[in-house]
Each structure stands twice: as C-alpha cells, then as structure tokens.
Amino acid sequence: MGWAIAVHGGAGDISRSLPHERRQPREEALRHCLQIGIKALQSNLSPLDVVELVVRELENIPHFNAGRGSVLTSKGTVEMEASIMDGNTMRCGAVSGLTTVLNAVSLARLVMEKTPHIYLAFDGAEQFAREQGVEIVDSSHFITPENVERLKLAKEANRVQIDYNAQPIQNDTKKEAPCANGDSQIGTVGCVAVDCHGNLASATSTGGLVNKMAGRIGDTPVIGAGTYANELCAVSATGKGESIIRGTVARDVAALMEFKGLSLKEAADCVVHERTPKGTVGLIAVSAAGEVAMPFNTTGMFRGCATEDGHLEVAIWSDAEI
C-alpha cells in the first residue's frame, strides 16, 4: 500500500491532430498539478486537503472548463459547479450555479463542513459564499475571449457542446463550424487521491456545457454520478453529464468492488466500457491499496497519475503517453 493520485482535464472527441500549441499548456498544467499533489501527499496532508488543493489549481488555469476557464451558457453567463467527498466519513459537499466564486471546489467543502446540508445552488450558494468570506470576483473574470468564441460557434451550429466534442448532442440544422486550430472545447477537471494509510478523497469541478440552458445542472456536483469516495475507492468522472447521471458512474465503480468483489481496474473498465454508451464518459479512480485506473470510451481524455513507487504518467489517447 502507498499513496497515489490521479487528475483529469476532461474527456471527449480529442483529435489526434490537436496542435502542439494547444496540447502543451494542458500537458504542462496536468504535470504541474500532479507535482502539487505529490508534494502534498509526501507532506502528509490528508487526501481531502490534497484533492481540494489540486482542483483549486486546475480551476485557476484557463485551459480547462472549470473556474477561470468555465464555458458559457446560452445567455453568455457562467454557472460553475463542483463537489468533493471524503471516503472515510463519506461526508460530501456540492455547489451549482456559481457566478462570482473564484474556487467552486472550496465552497463545496465549506458546504460539507459548515452546513447540515450536502448541496447548495445558485443564489443560496452565492449568499453562503459571502457569509463564509470566500474569495469573490466579478463574473467578468470568468468570461474569456476564447469561451465567447466557443459560444458563438455553438450558437451558429445550434448545438450544445460537451468537453472536446465536435458533435451535436441536440437537434441542429447547420453544419458545425470548426473551432480555430482544431480545438473544439476544453474539459472538466477532477482529482482523486489516497494516502499511505488507505484514506481516500475525490473532487470534481466544471463550467458545464457550451451553450447550455441557464439553470442546467450536470453530473459534476451529483454525488454518485460525477464524484464519489468511500473506504474502497475514490472516483471522478468526466464526459456527457446526462449519461453519467443516468449511469450513476462514480458510485457504480465502488458498488462493483463492494458487491461483486471486482478489482478497481475491473470495476472501472466494466462501468466505462460495458455500462455507459460509447463516446460519453471517462473517469479517474484510486483504490485504498494505491491502485490507479483511468479508463475512457471517448476518443481521448487528458489525464495523469503518480504513485509512491515512482510511476508518473500523463496521457491523452489510449495508446500514446505524452
């Protein structure tokens, strides 16, 4: 048994022709965040502290669909969401509909620790953030030129767009206008960690779908769908939220381990490759024994992991390490 950590930056239809200048910032960001997590685990921070720390950092990087890089709703606004869960206690917190909170994942943790509830959303979550004194910024901080352009292209194609996906997921009447440089989207972020004592935690954060209806809530803040942790494993999912919610993806990995006695890899592979539609999901997971699984049924998934034995990996596609 030893510590282990995994991160993701979203799964979807990631073209192998994605230019180096579009890949490199995400590659470097994942490596940077892995190093933050490694140092934190080596310093004996709890897995809960580690996943919050790493996801906060990912939220601050505009190359991913969370925090600073959150995509825009059909109204041109941001509505961020996040969740966090501690495997030992199974305590959890979640937030949705945030427009001014700098780090959604930290507000989710405060919901877990400072309220009798699990989930706060929209005005209530924003009010709670102000009461707790978390860092607040003007909503314009999150509206980047890149995401304004992504929304424009999505509206022109009359579609809602999931992470990295260039295909419509609702009826459309136009051909898609390809995004510049072959970069069709940016991705949800997540982190899972286990320490050398087998304690587990998971956290996930996102801006949702490009051109989503205002008020839409995806899988990221839904405990058991986008995020889950117990005494056996910690899971963070990414992809098409509606499919992940229907499949209770994160919880199903833990359930297969608990009730069928499957290994982490067996359980994760079963959920991703047998129980969810192709092209809709990827996940990262760690077990109490320090195992790591990162399966996906999309074209690719920005992901990385590190373990106490010195293994470190960052990858996008199934057959190529970066």
Side-chain angles (χ1 to χ4, degrees), residues 71-106:
V71 299
L72 305 180
T73 71
S74 60
K75 294 184 176 180
T77 58
V78 292
E79 290 182 356
M80 299 170 287
E81 48 195 24
S83 63
I84 191 168
M85 188 164 187
D86 176 64
N88 265 354
T89 63
M90 296 187 69
R91 296 180 68 198
C92 48
V95 289
S96 283
L98 301 182
T99 60
T100 67
V101 176
L102 188 64
N103 292 111
V105 70
S106 292

Coordinates of all heavy atoms in Angstrom, one line a residue, residues 71-106:
V71 N -16.9 27.5 -19.4 CA -17.6 27.8 -20.6 C -18.9 28.5 -20.3 O -19.3 28.6 -19.1 CB -17.9 26.5 -21.5 CG1 -16.6 25.9 -21.9 CG2 -18.8 25.6 -20.7
L72 N -19.6 29.1 -21.3 CA -20.7 30.0 -21.2 C -22.0 29.3 -21.5 O -22.1 28.5 -22.4 CB -20.5 31.2 -22.0 CG -19.2 32.0 -21.9 CD1 -19.1 33.2 -22.8 CD2 -19.0 32.4 -20.4
T73 N -23.1 29.8 -20.8 CA -24.4 29.3 -21.0 C -25.0 30.0 -22.3 O -24.3 30.9 -22.9 CB -25.3 29.7 -19.8 OG1 -25.5 31.1 -19.8 CG2 -24.8 29.3 -18.5
S74 N -26.2 29.6 -22.7 CA -26.8 30.2 -23.8 C -27.0 31.7 -23.6 O -27.2 32.5 -24.6 CB -28.1 29.5 -24.1 OG -29.0 29.7 -23.0
K75 N -27.0 32.2 -22.4 CA -27.2 33.6 -22.1 C -25.8 34.4 -22.0 O -25.8 35.6 -21.7 CB -27.9 33.8 -20.8 CG -29.4 33.3 -20.8 CD -30.1 33.6 -19.5 CE -31.6 33.2 -19.6 NZ -32.3 33.5 -18.3
G76 N -24.7 33.6 -22.2 CA -23.4 34.3 -22.2 C -22.9 34.4 -20.8 O -22.0 35.2 -20.6
T77 N -23.4 33.7 -19.8 CA -23.0 33.8 -18.4 C -22.3 32.5 -18.0 O -22.4 31.5 -18.7 CB -24.2 34.0 -17.5 OG1 -25.1 32.9 -17.7 CG2 -24.9 35.3 -17.8
V78 N -21.6 32.5 -16.9 CA -21.0 31.3 -16.3 C -21.9 30.8 -15.2 O -22.5 31.6 -14.5 CB -19.6 31.6 -15.8 CG1 -18.6 31.9 -16.9 CG2 -19.6 32.7 -14.7
E79 N -22.0 29.5 -15.1 CA -22.7 28.8 -14.0 C -21.8 27.6 -13.6 O -21.9 26.5 -14.2 CB -24.1 28.4 -14.4 CG -25.0 29.5 -14.6 CD -26.4 29.1 -14.9 OE1 -26.7 27.9 -15.1 OE2 -27.3 30.0 -15.0
M80 N -20.9 27.8 -12.6 CA -19.9 26.8 -12.3 C -20.5 25.9 -11.2 O -21.4 26.2 -10.4 CB -18.7 27.5 -11.7 CG -18.0 28.4 -12.7 SD -16.7 29.5 -12.0 CE -17.7 30.6 -11.1
E81 N -19.9 24.7 -11.2 CA -20.4 23.7 -10.2 C -19.2 22.8 -9.8 O -18.3 22.6 -10.6 CB -21.6 22.8 -10.7 CG -21.4 22.3 -12.1 CD -22.7 21.8 -12.7 OE1 -23.8 22.3 -12.3 OE2 -22.7 20.9 -13.6
A82 N -19.3 22.2 -8.6 CA -18.2 21.4 -8.1 C -18.7 20.5 -7.0 O -19.8 20.8 -6.4 CB -17.1 22.3 -7.6
S83 N -18.0 19.5 -6.7 CA -18.3 18.7 -5.5 C -17.0 18.1 -4.9 O -16.0 18.0 -5.6 CB -19.3 17.6 -5.8 OG -18.7 16.7 -6.8
I84 N -17.1 17.6 -3.7 CA -15.9 17.0 -3.0 C -16.5 16.0 -2.0 O -17.6 16.1 -1.5 CB -15.1 18.1 -2.3 CG1 -13.8 17.5 -1.8 CG2 -15.9 18.7 -1.2 CD1 -12.8 18.6 -1.4
M85 N -15.7 14.9 -1.8 CA -16.2 13.8 -0.9 C -15.0 13.1 -0.2 O -13.9 12.9 -0.9 CB -17.0 12.8 -1.7 CG -17.6 11.7 -0.9 SD -18.9 10.8 -1.8 CE -19.6 9.8 -0.4
D86 N -15.2 12.9 1.0 CA -14.2 12.2 1.9 C -14.6 10.7 2.0 O -15.7 10.4 2.5 CB -14.1 12.9 3.2 CG -13.2 12.2 4.2 OD1 -12.0 12.2 3.9 OD2 -13.6 11.7 5.2
G87 N -13.7 9.8 1.7 CA -14.0 8.4 1.7 C -14.2 7.8 3.1 O -15.0 7.0 3.3
N88 N -13.4 8.3 4.0 CA -13.5 7.7 5.4 C -14.9 8.0 6.0 O -15.5 7.1 6.6 CB -12.4 8.3 6.3 CG -11.2 7.5 6.3 OD1 -11.2 6.4 5.8 ND2 -10.1 8.0 7.0
T89 N -15.3 9.2 6.0 CA -16.5 9.6 6.6 C -17.7 9.6 5.7 O -18.9 9.6 6.2 CB -16.4 11.0 7.2 OG1 -16.2 11.9 6.1 CG2 -15.2 11.1 8.1
M90 N -17.5 9.6 4.4 CA -18.5 9.7 3.3 C -19.2 11.0 3.4 O -20.3 11.2 2.9 CB -19.4 8.5 3.3 CG -18.7 7.2 3.0 SD -19.8 5.8 2.7 CE -20.7 6.3 1.2
R91 N -18.6 12.0 4.1 CA -19.2 13.4 4.1 C -18.9 14.0 2.7 O -17.8 13.7 2.1 CB -18.6 14.2 5.2 CG -18.9 13.7 6.6 CD -18.2 14.6 7.6 NE -18.8 15.9 7.6 CZ -18.2 17.0 8.2 NH1 -17.0 16.9 8.7 NH2 -18.8 18.2 8.2
C92 N -19.8 14.8 2.3 CA -19.6 15.4 0.9 C -20.3 16.8 0.9 O -21.1 17.1 1.7 CB -20.1 14.5 -0.1 SG -21.8 13.8 0.2
G93 N -19.8 17.5 -0.1 CA -20.4 18.8 -0.4 C -20.5 19.1 -1.8 O -19.6 18.7 -2.6
A94 N -21.5 19.9 -2.3 CA -21.6 20.2 -3.7 C -22.2 21.6 -3.9 O -23.0 22.1 -3.0 CB -22.5 19.2 -4.4
V95 N -21.9 22.2 -5.0 CA -22.4 23.5 -5.3 C -22.7 23.6 -6.8 O -22.1 23.0 -7.6 CB -21.5 24.7 -4.9 CG1 -21.4 24.8 -3.4 CG2 -20.1 24.5 -5.5
S96 N -23.7 24.5 -7.2 CA -24.0 24.7 -8.6 C -24.4 26.1 -8.8 O -24.8 26.8 -7.8 CB -25.2 23.8 -9.0 OG -24.8 22.5 -9.3
G97 N -24.4 26.6 -10.0 CA -24.9 27.9 -10.4 C -24.1 29.1 -9.9 O -24.6 30.2 -9.7
L98 N -22.8 28.8 -9.7 CA -21.9 29.9 -9.1 C -21.5 30.8 -10.3 O -21.1 30.4 -11.4 CB -20.7 29.3 -8.5 CG -20.9 28.4 -7.3 CD1 -19.6 27.9 -6.7 CD2 -21.8 29.0 -6.2
T99 N -21.5 32.1 -10.0 CA -21.2 33.2 -11.0 C -20.0 34.1 -10.5 O -19.4 34.7 -11.4 CB -22.4 34.0 -11.3 OG1 -22.8 34.7 -10.1 CG2 -23.5 33.2 -11.9
T100 N -19.7 34.1 -9.2 CA -18.7 35.0 -8.8 C -17.6 34.4 -7.8 O -16.7 35.0 -7.4 CB -19.3 36.2 -8.0 OG1 -19.9 35.7 -6.8 CG2 -20.4 36.9 -8.8
V101 N -17.8 33.1 -7.5 CA -16.9 32.4 -6.5 C -15.7 32.0 -7.3 O -15.8 31.2 -8.3 CB -17.6 31.2 -5.9 CG1 -16.6 30.5 -5.0 CG2 -18.8 31.7 -5.0
L102 N -14.5 32.4 -6.8 CA -13.3 32.1 -7.5 C -13.0 30.6 -7.6 O -12.5 30.1 -8.6 CB -12.1 32.8 -6.9 CG -10.8 32.8 -7.6 CD1 -10.9 33.5 -9.0 CD2 -9.7 33.4 -6.8
N103 N -13.2 29.9 -6.5 CA -12.9 28.5 -6.5 C -14.1 27.7 -5.9 O -14.3 27.6 -4.7 CB -11.7 28.2 -5.6 CG -10.4 28.7 -6.2 OD1 -9.8 29.7 -5.7 ND2 -10.0 28.1 -7.3
A104 N -14.8 27.1 -6.9 CA -16.1 26.4 -6.5 C -15.8 25.2 -5.6 O -16.6 24.9 -4.7 CB -16.8 25.9 -7.8
V105 N -14.7 24.5 -5.8 CA -14.4 23.3 -5.0 C -14.3 23.6 -3.5 O -14.7 22.8 -2.7 CB -13.2 22.5 -5.6 CG1 -11.9 23.3 -5.3 CG2 -13.1 21.1 -5.0
S106 N -13.7 24.8 -3.2 CA -13.5 25.1 -1.8 C -14.9 25.5 -1.2 O -15.1 25.2 0.0 CB -12.6 26.3 -1.7 OG -11.3 25.9 -2.1

